[in-house]
Amino acid sequence: SDFGSQFLGRLDPATLDVKEYPVPLHRAGFPEGALDLEIDPNGDLWLGLMFQSGLARFDRASERVETIQLPPKFLTETSQQAMVAPHSFYVDNKVWAVETGARGLYRIDIETGEFESFDPFEEFPPPHSMYSVMADAQNNLWFLDFASENIGKVDAKTRSVTLFPTPTPGSRPRRGRFDDRGRIWFAEFAAERIGVFD
């Protein structure tokens, strides 16, 4: 992903060939670029479009970029989708995305284009914020609570939210991934440690 401009880049380490694919501009006059880059089960790539508001999917077979923009009812001056979780969209045809501007989440039906909004911290006193997001095999969303010390889960069926504190208070977890055993590995940004959550 290119943090400052509207391109997805590809580097072939064997040949050193670099190719860029333009990502359509959603919002002229707003900062350009994307942050998170994730791979779905089909091998296609997804980008969180930051202040351009929405998501982009790169179809590797056709080498074509498709975008999904926030609908007007959710679009604000501070709308920002930094992180995306397409890992298990095949369960219900839905992809998760972080709404950084409101400390919330969207779940997008990629067939109908319908957006659902979530406030995962509604029942919890601040400070809280989401950084990495990951979908498990049932397409439940797991997230790292970067402003605090928690691993969080949003149940895809009930919408209930559970927070699991890390052993180190104030650890500020970020940048996590599931391993092949279903555990979440993550950096503890404020604790100089690596954590694993089963």
Side-chain angles (χ1 to χ4, degrees), residues 20-180:
E20 291 184 329
Y21 300 89
V23 176
L25 190 72
H26 281 180
R27 305 177 83 189
F30 283 78
E32 298 182 14
L35 182 58
D36 197 17
L37 175 64
E38 299 291 339
I39 301 174
D40 73 19
N42 297 330
D44 293 332
L45 305 175
W46 290 76
L47 292 163
L49 295 181
M50 296 291 286
F51 290 104
Q52 286 299 308
S53 298
L55 308 174
R57 183 179 74 89
F58 179 73
D59 184 304
R60 292 204 307 180
S62 66
E63 296 194 342
R64 196 167 59 116
V65 177
E66 300 171 351
T67 61
I68 302 170
Q69 188 170 26
L70 260 64
K73 69 178 180 179
F74 293 130
L75 196 60
T76 69
E77 290 289 311
T78 60
S79 293
Q80 182 186 165
Q81 283 65 65
M83 303 294 177
V84 58
H87 314 108
S88 297
F89 79 90
Y90 55 84
V91 171
D92 51 13
N93 291 311
K94 294 179 180 178
V95 170
W96 296 90
V98 173
E99 172 50 83
T100 306
R103 297 184 319 131
L105 284 168
Y106 295 120
R107 184 167 56 177
I108 304 109
D109 187 313
I110 58 176
E111 286 191 353
T112 67
E114 180 184 352
F115 276 65
E116 297 174 78
S117 178
F118 292 74
D119 181 357
F121 302 122
E122 186 174 21
E123 303 296 322
F124 303 100
H128 296 286
S129 69
M130 270 176 287
Y131 202 80
S132 291
V133 289
M134 301 140 282
D136 66 18
Q138 292 75 44
N139 210 17
N140 300 305
L141 186 81
W142 293 82
F143 62 87
L144 303 181
D145 185 0
F146 183 54
S148 187
E149 59 199 26
N150 304 294
I151 310 298
K153 178 188 178 184
V154 180
D155 187 288
K157 292 182 179 176
T158 67
R159 298 176 60 110
S160 64
V161 178
T162 308
L163 298 181
F164 303 90
T166 60
T168 305
S171 61
R172 301 189 71 196
R174 67 185 295 210
R175 293 291 188 190
R177 290 282 186 271
F178 276 110
D179 68 13
D180 58 0

